[in-house]
Amino acid sequence: MPLLQFHLVRHAWTKEQVQTILDTAYDVTREAFHAPAGDRYQIVSYHEPEELVMEDTGLGFTRTNKRILLSIRTRPRTQEEKITFYRLLHDQLQQKLELDDHDLMINLVENQDEDWSFTSGKAQFITGEL
């Protein structure tokens, strides 16, 4: 049930590359977070370069227009799961798309099962439907 929202620079990626980003993130989510098949919720938002500001936080690097800001909303995850997710996604995007080492930033926000309603105005985790 992780919800992944990708923020990308407009026109920096082809449709095929965006699909690779989404498919790769889904596969990594299944591996690192043990998400079941079909548990896929992804949003892509495009921004002009000046609208997607991702500075280096004092670490001394620059980013390209191929930068990706990924915001994840998910139930609590262990430190190990988070570290595994960050590393796997970085490594696989770097391998598949030659993503620059500094162009991926991930923010993970935890919530609880009761914070989700998948359909029909019901809290499926609370009602026991899920």
Side-chain angles (χ1 to χ4, degrees):
M1 94 176 132
L3 171 62
L4 284 69
Q5 184 169 13
F6 299 85
H7 297 275
L8 307 174
V9 173
R10 188 180 318 281
H11 306 300
W13 300 97
T14 66
K15 288 182 180 182
E16 294 79 13
Q17 289 173 320
V18 171
Q19 192 61 55
T20 297
I21 293 168
L22 297 178
D23 292 344
T24 301
Y26 173 65
D27 292 342
V28 169
T29 299
R30 294 204 55 220
E31 182 175 347
F33 296 157
H34 313 288
D39 202 18
R40 187 171 184 168
Y41 307 96
Q42 299 173 317
I43 303 166
V44 176
S45 299
Y46 295 97
H47 308 273
E48 297 302 322
E50 68 275 7
E51 296 172 345
L52 186 55
V53 178
M54 296 168 53
E55 294 189 3
D56 68 354
T57 316
L59 295 172
F61 59 83
T62 58
R63 301 184 201 264
T64 74
N65 275 345
K66 296 272 189 174
R67 60 191 175 271
I68 301 170
L69 175 57
L70 172 57
S71 180
I72 305 171
R73 289 163 187 81
T74 185
R75 62 175 38 134
R77 303 293 174 178
T78 66
Q79 241 182 11
E80 182 178 309
E81 288 175 319
K82 292 174 188 180
I83 290 168
T84 298
F85 180 88
Y86 302 153
R87 181 184 46 78
L88 284 176
L89 185 60
H90 168 270
D91 292 352
Q92 289 187 27
L93 290 177
Q94 197 172 48
Q95 177 186 15
K96 293 176 183 181
L97 297 172
E98 298 181 4
L99 185 70
D100 184 90
D101 201 41
H102 304 298
D103 277 347
L104 177 63
M105 180 175 169
I106 303 170
N107 172 252
L108 191 145
V109 179
E110 294 181 344
N111 56 31
Q112 303 297 319
D113 288 350
E114 63 265 17
D115 297 320
W116 295 87
S117 171
F118 293 92
T119 187
S120 306
K122 297 179 181 178
Q124 285 80 11
F125 285 122
I126 294 172
T127 64
E129 295 172 73
L130 285 176

